[in-house]
Amino acid sequence: MILLDGFKVASERNLALRTVIDQEVEKYGRAPHLAIILVGENPASMSYVKGKGKACEVAGIKHKLHALLEDVKQSEVERLIQQLNEDPSVDGMILQLPLPKHLDENHLIDLISKDKDADGFHVINQGNLYQKRPTIHPATPKGIMTLLNAYAIPISGAHAVIVGRSNIVGFPVARLLMDQGATITVCHRQTKDLRSHTLSADILVVASGKPNLVTGDMVKPGSVVIDVGVNRVDGKLVGDVDFEAAKNIAAYITPVPKGVGPMTINALLENTHELYLSHILNQRFSK
Ligand code: NAP
């Protein structure tokens, strides 16, 4: 079994990005800038935001945290997003999810300018993705594709089974895998006999948020297993796949933590850099 070391691949890519950004700062006079909006004090969200900030520092991306109180009004979040949309020094913006229940998540995500949508969640960017037009890709699916490509895993012709159909992971990763030539099966809670599907997967992507949903007997021998899940069980982080059982059956598998998580952050940084370059070039052409 080969461990798909997301931490190593992401760290190398973040450092490589740093080299590029250092040269661009010389050339264009400023670094990329990511604004991070955090509402409330959800411990997992606070830890993700901290990780994103640290990675920005490694890559030479300026980042600013905009921390709002748990009971913040919808109008106040809207005002902040509008302000960041209008600020020419901001290249990318993310709204850390989940949000408190009283906030309208979809409305707020769509308020973020599609040209500053570092997470690739905006409805127009997602529409572009589904129509195979150039766009910012959602961070986790993009990170998964980068990881598969880093290990030269053949995708074209493979049967990829995705467990989960969310807008931020399952559905877009299915689209990206299909674009690279995989044949796709997408499973969800109404799927009958999940095991019969997972057992036929050359590439199995599990993004259900259910600890150990995929057991060893659900994994095809010699397959590639990508575990997106992040669950805290008895104070320990675990994925959606029973890693100890699956690692003896799969040819490649991601660990949790240090698998998909760091690749998601790397993709976020690369998206921010992409947005920065398009802003710099637009500013130059409009002069
Ligand atoms: P989500 O919006 O809750 O979606 C979960 C999906 O899994 C849904 O489509 C759901 O089906 C499906 N599902 C749940 N239980 C199932 C079951 N028993 N059998 C088959 N399908 C089942 O979650 P998400 O935002 O996609 O996130 C999924 C997991 O990935 C979570 O653990 C999250 O923390 C993690 N995550 C990790 C990263 C990272 O960077 N590592 C990034 C994002 C998310 P229905 O549609 O039928 O409800």
Side-chain angles (χ1 to χ4, degrees):
M1 180 275 297
I2 294 173
L3 199 70
L4 294 170
D5 191 342
F7 182 76
K8 179 166 169 279
V9 174
S11 303
E12 286 167 2
R13 293 180 72 91
N14 292 346
L15 285 175
L17 189 58
R18 173 66 184 243
T19 308
V20 174
I21 288 176
D22 281 349
Q23 289 165 0
E24 286 164 351
V25 171
E26 290 279 307
K27 197 165 157 193
Y28 303 128
R30 71 172 183 89
H33 176 180
L34 176 69
I36 303 174
I37 305 174
L38 172 68
V39 182
E41 294 186 354
N42 175 322
S45 294
M46 287 169 78
S47 145
Y48 289 139
V49 160
K50 201 169 153 200
K52 289 170 185 177
K54 267 194 192 163
C56 279
E57 275 155 34
V58 170
I61 293 176
K62 177 181 166 189
H63 62 100
K64 185 161 182 220
L65 176 64
H66 300 265
L68 302 171
L69 293 175
E70 179 85 23
D71 61 355
V72 67
K73 287 201 180 100
Q74 171 88 12
S75 59
E76 216 174 304
V77 191
E78 288 175 4
R79 214 171 14 249
L80 173 62
I81 293 175
Q82 293 287 19
Q83 187 193 317
L84 295 169
N85 279 342
E86 284 159 22
D87 182 343
S89 77
V90 173
D91 297 297
M93 193 190 319
I94 59 166
L95 183 59
Q96 183 65 44
L97 302 179
L99 293 177
K101 295 247 176 313
H102 69 281
L103 297 175
D104 182 344
E105 188 171 295
N106 283 342
H107 178 72
L108 291 172
I109 287 172
D110 289 344
L111 209 58
I112 295 174
S113 160
K114 70 173 180 45
D115 302 320
K116 296 195 176 188
D117 174 30
D119 260 335
F121 292 166
H122 192 285
V123 67
I124 292 182
N125 288 331
Q126 294 232 332
N128 284 333
L129 170 69
Y130 296 128
Q131 292 206 358
K132 281 178 89 168
R133 300 187 198 192
T135 192
I136 287 290
H137 289 170
T140 302
K142 175 174 171 154
I144 291 170
M145 299 309 291
T146 304
L147 189 60
L148 292 171
N149 291 327
Y151 282 84
I153 288 169
I155 297 173
S156 183
H159 180 208
V161 175
I162 298 101
V163 183
R165 57 177 167 182
S166 71
N167 283 338
I168 65 170
V169 188
F171 202 37
V173 83
R175 175 78 233 189
L176 292 175
L177 284 161
M178 187 163 67
D179 286 349
Q180 287 203 16
T183 301
I184 302 298
T185 300
V186 179
C187 303
H188 43 76
R189 280 185 296 176
Q190 280 90 52
T191 299
K192 286 182 186 154
D193 192 5
L194 182 62
R195 181 170 175 268
S196 69
H197 296 286
T198 60
L199 260 184
S200 70
D202 302 312
I203 299 173
L204 177 62
V205 180
V206 191
S208 67
K210 297 281 173 295
N212 295 330
L213 175 67
V214 171
T215 48
D217 64 334
M218 294 169 77
V219 173
K220 179 179 172 181
S223 62
V224 179
V225 177
I226 306 288
D227 189 353
V228 185
V230 180
N231 311 288
R232 194 166 282 280
V233 177
D234 299 332
K236 215 178 135 216
L237 281 189
V238 298
D240 294 348
V241 177
D242 177 353
F243 179 84
E244 286 308 315
K247 74 176 187 199
N248 301 318
I249 302 159
Y252 296 85
I253 187 167
T254 54
V256 177
K258 299 198 172 182
V260 173
M263 293 305 300
T264 296
I265 296 183
N266 168 254
L268 170 69
L269 304 188
E270 293 190 355
N271 280 350
T272 304
H273 177 244
E274 216 175 287
L275 294 168
Y276 157 80
L277 281 183
S278 73
H279 295 154
I280 293 278
L281 294 177
N282 276 341
Q283 280 158 14
R284 292 195 139 197
F285 279 127
S286 60
K287 270 183 190 163

